[in-house]
C-alpha cells in the first residue's frame, strides 16, 4: 500500500527519474509467483495515466506469472515488444516485456526453445530499445547454464554497434556461465578485456562477468530453478530481476 501511494501521488518528473523503476520492481516482487492474485493491484496501476503505469503493470504481471508458461501472457508480451514507439520516455515498458517473456517461460524446455526463436526475430526486426533487453532475457533463460547456441549469439552481440546491446551481452555471458568455470566463456571474456581495453564501461562489465564465471571457484550457482526445474527459488529470481531491471 505504501509503494502504491508513492506511485499514485508522484508527479511526472519523479516518475521519469531512473530510480522510479525500483518502485515497480518492489511491487512486482510482492506478487512473485502469486498468479491471478495480482489482478486488483493491476487495475489500480492501469487506472492512472502515469508515465510508468505500463512499466509497473507489466512488471507486476510478469512477476506474478513467472515460470508458469502462460501462453496468453506470452502473446500479450510479444505484441507489446513488437510495437513501434519512438519516444524513449514512453517505450521503457518494452524492455520489461522482453524480460517478461523469459521469466514466464523459464523452467519449461519447450517454452524456452520457442522464446529463444522469438528472441532471434526480435533481434532482426525490432527497434533498438527492444533489442537492448534481448541479451539479458537470453541470460535469464539460461542462468548458470552455458548453452553453446546461446553463447554464440551473445558472443556476436558483444561486438554490436549499439553500446548498450554490447554491454548487456557481456554481462549476460557472465550470468549464463555463473559458477561454472566454463573455459569457452573464460576465453571469450579474455578476448573482450583486450578488445575493450580503452572502454572503461565495457571493461568494468567484463571484470564483473569474469567474477560471476568463477563464482565460488565453480562451486556456486545463480540458477533459480531447483530439482530439475520443478521448484523455483523466489529469492534467487528476485536477486536476478533487480540486477536485470537496473
Amino acid at each position: 500500500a505504501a509503494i502504491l501511494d508513492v506511485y499514485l501521488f508522484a508527479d511526472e518528473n519523479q516518475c521519469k527519474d531512473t530510480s522510479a523503476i525500483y518502485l515497480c520492481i518492489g511491487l512486482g516482487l510482492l506478487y512473485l509467483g502469486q498468479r491471478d492474485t495480482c489482478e486488483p493491484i493491476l487495475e489500480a496501476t492501469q487506472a492512472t495515466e502515469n508515465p510508468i503505469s505500463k512499466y509497473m503493470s507489466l512488471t507486476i504481471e510478469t512477476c506474478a506469472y513467472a515460470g508458469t508458461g502462460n501462453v496468453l501472457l506470452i502473446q500479450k508480451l510479444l505484441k507489446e515488444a513488437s510495437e513501434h514507439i519512438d519516444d524513449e520516455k514512453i517505450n521503457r515498458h518494452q524492455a520489461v516485456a522482453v524480460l517478461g517473456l523469459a521469466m514466464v517461460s523459464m523452467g519449461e524446455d519447450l517454452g524456452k526453445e520457442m522464446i529463444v526463436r522469438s528472441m532471434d526475430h526480435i533481434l532482426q526486426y525490432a527497434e533498438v530499445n527492444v533489442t537492448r533487453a534481448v541479451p539479458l532475457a537470453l541470460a535469464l533463460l539460461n542462468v548458470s547454464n552455458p548453452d553453446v547456441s546461446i553463447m554464440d549469439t551473445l558472443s556476436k552481440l558483444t561486438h554490436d554497434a549499439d553500446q548498450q546491446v554490447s554491454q548487456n551481452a557481456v554481462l549476460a555471458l557472465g550470468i549464463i556461465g555463473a559458477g561454472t568455470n566454463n573455459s569457452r566463456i573464460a576465453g571469450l571474456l579474455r578476448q573482450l578485456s583486450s578488445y575493450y581495453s580503452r572502454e572503461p564501461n565495457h571493461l568494468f562489465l567484463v571484470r564483473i562477468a569474469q567474477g560471476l564465471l568463477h563464482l565460488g571457484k565453480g562451486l556456486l550457482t545463480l540458477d533459480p530453478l531447483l530439482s530439475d526445474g520443478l521448484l523455483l527459488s523466489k529469492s534467487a529470481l528476485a536477486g536476478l530481476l533487480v540486477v536485470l531491471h537496473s
Side-chain angles (χ1 to χ4, degrees):
I3 296 173
L4 195 59
D5 284 344
V6 172
Y7 163 75
L8 291 173
F9 295 107
D11 59 37
E12 196 172 332
N13 289 329
Q14 287 173 317
C15 290
K16 286 176 184 175
D17 191 71
T18 50
S19 59
I21 63 167
Y22 295 109
L23 280 176
C24 307
I25 299 166
L27 207 50
L29 293 181
L30 288 174
Y31 290 91
L32 192 59
Q34 300 294 314
R35 301 198 183 203
D36 54 2
T37 55
C38 70
E39 292 300 328
I41 203 82
L42 278 177
E43 287 179 19
T45 56
Q46 289 166 356
T48 62
E49 292 184 3
N50 204 303
I52 58 166
S53 61
K54 259 196 170 179
Y55 190 107
M56 181 171 274
S57 59
L58 281 179
T59 303
I60 294 167
E61 204 167 359
T62 52
C63 285
Y65 288 92
T68 60
N70 189 297
V71 178
L72 291 174
L73 182 55
I74 287 172
Q75 288 175 341
K76 177 186 173 181
L77 294 171
L78 282 169
K79 185 183 176 184
E80 290 285 355
S82 63
E83 285 181 356
H84 177 76
I85 305 171
D86 287 326
D87 192 349
E88 287 191 10
K89 293 174 185 174
I90 57 171
N91 66 12
R92 287 196 291 175
H93 68 278
Q94 291 185 297
V96 181
V98 175
L99 281 175
L101 287 168
M103 275 178 66
V104 174
S105 60
M106 70 192 308
E108 186 198 354
D109 290 338
L110 194 64
K112 278 170 71 172
E113 282 181 36
M114 183 184 76
I115 295 302
V116 168
R117 285 183 190 175
S118 299
M119 292 297 167
D120 286 336
H121 293 307
I122 289 170
L123 280 172
Q124 288 174 28
Y125 305 114
E127 302 296 318
V128 177
N129 65 294
V130 182
T131 57
R132 285 170 182 166
V134 170
L136 301 177
L138 290 173
L140 190 56
L141 281 171
N142 295 274
V143 180
S144 296
N145 176 26
D147 184 271
V148 176
S149 60
I150 301 296
M151 209 186 301
D152 288 341
T153 304
L154 291 175
S155 178
K156 289 173 190 171
L157 291 174
T158 54
H159 296 89
D160 195 88
D162 185 81
Q163 278 206 333
Q164 276 189 276
V165 173
S166 58
Q167 286 174 4
N168 288 346
V170 172
L171 180 61
L173 277 174
I175 293 171
I176 68 165
T180 63
N181 279 344
N182 186 280
S183 58
R184 188 170 175 186
I185 295 178
L188 285 171
L189 292 173
R190 277 195 297 272
Q191 289 171 19
L192 288 169
S193 66
S194 57
Y195 183 79
Y196 287 120
S197 58
R198 294 187 181 183
E199 296 278 346
N201 292 336
H202 281 85
L203 194 58
F204 175 68
L205 283 166
V206 170
R207 298 299 180 220
I208 289 175
Q210 286 175 321
L212 286 170
L213 180 66
H214 303 295
L215 191 72
K217 295 184 180 178
L219 298 174
L220 295 175
T221 182
L222 295 181
D223 193 359
L225 293 165
L226 310 169
S227 301
D228 201 26
L230 293 172
L231 300 172
L232 179 68
S233 170
K234 291 181 181 179
S235 55
L237 181 58
L240 284 167
L241 282 179
V242 172
V243 173
L244 297 179
H245 274 264
S246 300

